[in-house]
């Protein structure tokens, strides 16, 4: 009999990818994914530890699930992901309703872990080893995905930005070999995927022998059936000539790039151990846009990093104007246990962080609105990858990752069509199919 699996995913796209892979690992045991935890046999919270609030959300969800568990069937409750890696044993202590805690590098062992959790109910199984052998060698073939899918090519990080937990929760950098990535690409393309996003915590640090990410992108793009390629998330210090050339020459590489800069102040960038200054970034943005003039750049920003003054913050606002971002995500600095920045003097008061975040976000929102409005009247290729909100509608992605709502026949699902944009909303576009 089919067993019901409910996975709730927090955090980044790598976590979203891991959740899909967990479902692949559990499918041979008869687990079928469901949309609600109610009545599920196995509930997995795939957690994120990047900022304080992320972990708090997990504990409040665990509170809700405790009531569900008390009221009903014999559900196994598991916590995976980055909070699991960082807090391990403490989760089992603080939330005794949890049966299993496992890390981002151990989910290939889920079948045996779940079996143990079932046998040893009430004890709490823990597996958060960062194994020397990569989990990728033990994962089954990727299941069928939609028209757009991720492939993890790189995981972990060796850069140690001083604010960041990733090197601790995900471990050191690991790159999958090109033949493995290309095999997964072929398999996805054969099963209906036409847009591939190469994924990594520091994806452009990917290398293998004399291959860099630029070469991998071209090889993925050359795979029959692949029509679009993207990569995320990248670091400015690892953008090399080969990658810039790929933006210039590889038409299937989409003209949207998330390239976080974090701050516009050289002093703060140094304290963050970013390995580049604001001018390096300006130059890089310029070179990328020369290579691909329609390239849309987005970024992440942290406000209130220890020692950040009003002048440092102003330098961030200035950089936003100069680099020409189309949108950006911004966060208040959150001291993470075990990271260097948590221990720095000059921690910025909460009210100052909130005030700067509000100013930054007001600016970013107006930039984003302007960008969405500029699209009106343009025609662009849209990949339809989901049903729309209303009957007779499909939802697709523009080359720049914008969601586009279009009245279109269901047969167009999974294909790319030319759409004329008729309206720009805050976070999406509306358009009509261009006459064939
Ligand atoms: N505090 C606030 N924001 C953070 N980020 C990473 N670590 C922290 C932290 N300690 C942000 C960065 C990163 C994004 C994924 O999260 O901007 O690019
Ligand atoms: Fe969150 Fe970072 Fe883990 Fe992704 S890798 S889930 S952003 S802590």
């Amino acid at each position: 009999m089919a067993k019901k699996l409910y996975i709730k995913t927090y955090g980044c796209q790598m976590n979203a990818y891991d959740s899909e892979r967990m479902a692949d690992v559990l499918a041979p045991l008869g687990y079928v994914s469901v949309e609600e935890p109610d009545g599920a046999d196995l509930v997995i919270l795939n957690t994120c530890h990047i900022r304080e609030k992320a972990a708090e959300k997990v504990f409040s969800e665990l509170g809700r699930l405790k009531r569900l568990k008390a009221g009903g069937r014999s559900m196994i409750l598991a916590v995976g992901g980055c909070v699991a890696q960082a807090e391990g044993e403490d989760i089992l202590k603080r939330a005794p309703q949890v049966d299993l805690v496992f890390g981002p590098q151990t989910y290939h062992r889920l079948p045996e872990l779940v079996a143990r959790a079932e046998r040893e109910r009430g004890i709490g199984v823990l597996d958060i080893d960062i194994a020397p052998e990569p989990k990728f060698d033990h994962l089954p073939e990727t299941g069928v995905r939609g028209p757009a899918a991720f492939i993890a090519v790189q995981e972990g990080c060796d850069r140690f930005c001083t604010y960041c937990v990733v090197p601790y929760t995900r471990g050191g950098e690991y790159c999958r070999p090109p033949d493995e990535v290309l095999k997964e690409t072929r398999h996805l393309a054969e099963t209906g995927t036409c847009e591939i996003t190469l994924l990594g915590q520091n994806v452009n640090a990917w290398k293998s022998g004399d291959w860099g990410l630029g070469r991998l992108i071209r090889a993925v793009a050359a795979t029959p059936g692949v029509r679009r390629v993207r990569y995320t998330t990248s670091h400015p210090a690892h953008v090399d000539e080969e990658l810039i050339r790929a933006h210039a020459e590889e038409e299937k590489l989409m003209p949207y790039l998330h390239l976080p800069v974090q701050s516009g102040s050289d002093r703060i960038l140094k304290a963050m151990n970013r390995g580049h200054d604001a001018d390096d970034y300006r130059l890089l943005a310029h070179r990328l846009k020369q290579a691909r003039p329609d390239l849309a750049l987005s970024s992440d920003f942290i406000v209130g990093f220890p020692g950040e003054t009003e002048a440092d913050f102003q330098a961030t606002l200035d950089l936003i104007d100069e680099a020409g971002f189309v949108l950006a995500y911004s966060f208040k600095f959150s001291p993470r246990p075990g990271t260097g920045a948590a221990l720095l003097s000059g921690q910025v008061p909460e009210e100052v962080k909130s005030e700067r975040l509000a100013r930054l976000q007001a600016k970013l929102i107006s930039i984003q609105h302007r960008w969405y409005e500029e699209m009106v009247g343009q025609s662009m290729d849209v990949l339809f990858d989901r049903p729309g909100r209303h009957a007779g509608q499909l939802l697709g992605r523009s080359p720049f990752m914008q969601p586009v709502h279009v009245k279109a026949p269901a047969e167009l699902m999974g294909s790319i069509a030319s759409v004329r944009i008729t309206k720009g909303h805050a976070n999406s576009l509306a358009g009509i199919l261009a006459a064939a």
Side-chain angles (χ1 to χ4, degrees):
M1 204 185 73
K3 290 185 253 180
K4 292 181 182 162
L5 165 67
Y6 171 75
I7 306 182
K8 181 163 180 163
T9 308
Y10 302 80
C12 63
Q13 286 154 321
M14 186 64 90
N15 254 23
Y17 173 85
D18 287 342
S19 290
E20 291 181 334
R21 300 299 273 139
M22 289 174 201
D24 290 343
V25 169
L26 290 163
L29 279 77
Y31 281 99
V32 176
S33 294
V34 294
E35 299 293 317
E36 292 293 332
D38 250 316
D41 300 283
L42 173 59
V43 169
I44 299 177
L45 301 185
N46 190 13
T47 61
C48 172
H49 204 233
I50 198 90
R51 289 172 293 273
E52 226 154 318
K53 280 211 183 108
E56 275 164 27
K57 276 191 220 153
V58 173
F59 282 103
S60 57
E61 183 68 29
L62 283 173
R64 276 192 293 276
L65 289 167
K66 184 178 179 177
R67 284 194 291 280
L68 196 63
K69 208 175 160 178
R73 310 169 29 179
S74 55
M75 165 209 283
I76 294 282
L77 179 53
V79 179
C82 294
V83 177
Q85 189 64 45
E87 313 248 319
E89 197 105 29
D90 285 347
I91 298 177
L92 292 173
K93 286 202 195 107
R94 192 168 151 191
Q97 69 273 33
V98 172
D99 302 292
L100 166 63
V101 173
F102 62 98
Q105 306 307 349
T106 55
Y107 64 76
H108 55 291
R109 289 199 282 268
L110 269 172
E112 53 188 272
L113 292 172
V114 171
R116 256 179 68 201
E118 275 170 345
R119 272 198 318 269
E120 301 169 21
R121 264 169 205 282
I123 292 175
V125 175
L126 178 71
D127 184 358
I128 53 171
D129 280 350
I130 292 195
E133 63 185 308
K135 64 174 174 257
F136 294 104
D137 294 351
H138 304 277
L139 288 173
E141 188 168 64
T142 306
V144 174
R145 305 286 187 246
F150 295 122
I151 298 181
V153 302
Q154 181 278 343
E155 197 181 352
C157 188
D158 292 340
R159 288 207 62 94
F160 292 94
C161 297
T162 54
Y163 51 79
C164 188
V165 288
V166 168
Y168 309 98
T169 59
R170 292 274 174 173
E173 233 162 73
Y174 171 75
C175 298
R176 294 176 73 194
D179 55 341
E180 222 180 88
V181 174
L182 293 171
K183 185 169 165 231
E184 201 164 322
T185 304
R186 282 192 298 276
H187 170 71
L188 284 169
E190 279 160 12
T191 53
T193 297
C194 64
E195 178 175 305
I196 303 273
T197 301
L198 303 177
L199 206 56
Q201 258 98 30
N202 182 6
V203 72
N204 54 328
W206 182 90
K207 58 180 176 310
S208 181
D210 56 356
W211 284 55
L213 186 67
R215 185 164 172 195
L216 185 67
I217 287 168
R218 289 176 196 253
V220 167
T223 305
V226 172
R227 302 189 56 194
R228 291 176 159 193
V229 184
R230 306 177 185 277
Y231 63 94
T232 199
T233 285
S234 40
H235 190 292
H238 296 272
V239 178
D240 61 11
E241 236 2 274
E242 190 191 24
L243 189 55
I244 294 176
R245 260 204 324 278
H247 278 282
E249 294 166 8
E250 180 49 71
E251 278 183 18
K252 291 181 186 170
L253 180 55
M254 290 291 101
Y256 169 80
L257 178 60
H258 186 59
L259 186 64
V261 62
Q262 313 295 354
S263 168
S265 154
D266 289 346
R267 235 170 44 78
I268 296 299
L269 288 168
K270 192 151 196 273
M272 286 177 167
N273 188 32
R274 288 288 292 174
H276 63 83
D277 63 20
D279 274 346
D280 294 332
Y281 192 91
R282 285 185 187 88
L283 181 64
L284 193 55
H286 175 72
R287 287 173 61 210
L288 282 161
K289 284 183 190 175
Q290 265 189 331
R292 178 87 202 223
D294 60 345
L295 186 80
L297 265 189
S298 66
S299 179
D300 292 336
F301 291 98
I302 297 176
V303 298
F305 187 84
E308 186 188 72
T309 62
E310 178 59 27
D312 293 318
F313 178 64
Q314 195 57 51
T316 296
L317 297 179
D318 293 344
L319 180 65
I320 291 172
D321 292 327
E322 292 153 14
F325 297 111
V326 295
L327 61 93
Y329 306 90
S330 48
F331 314 98
K332 286 192 255 185
F333 170 71
S334 164
R336 306 314 290 135
T339 61
L343 305 172
L344 289 175
S345 60
Q347 297 287 331
V348 174
E350 199 53 34
E351 319 81 77
V352 177
K353 286 186 201 172
S354 299
E355 189 266 336
R356 285 183 191 157
L357 186 72
R359 274 154 70 200
L360 181 62
Q361 289 191 335
K363 186 179 178 78
L364 293 172
I365 285 167
S366 80
I367 288 172
Q368 183 174 336
H369 282 187
R370 202 166 61 220
W371 184 52
Y372 272 87
E373 275 159 21
E374 275 167 13
M375 299 288 136
V376 176
Q378 294 190 31
S379 290
M380 55 184 70
D381 284 346
V382 171
L383 166 61
F384 293 110
D385 63 344
R386 271 161 296 168
R389 213 175 304 145
H390 306 294
Q393 260 195 354
L394 291 178
L395 184 58
R397 291 270 170 198
S398 82
F400 311 104
M401 279 292 274
Q402 299 146 304
V404 191
H405 299 273
V406 182
K407 190 163 164 274
E411 305 88 82
L412 281 186
M413 180 69 127
S415 59
I416 296 176
S418 178
V419 168
R420 195 163 60 78
I421 303 304
T422 51
K423 202 164 171 20
H425 300 286
N427 293 302
S428 68
L429 298 167
I432 51 171
L433 288 173

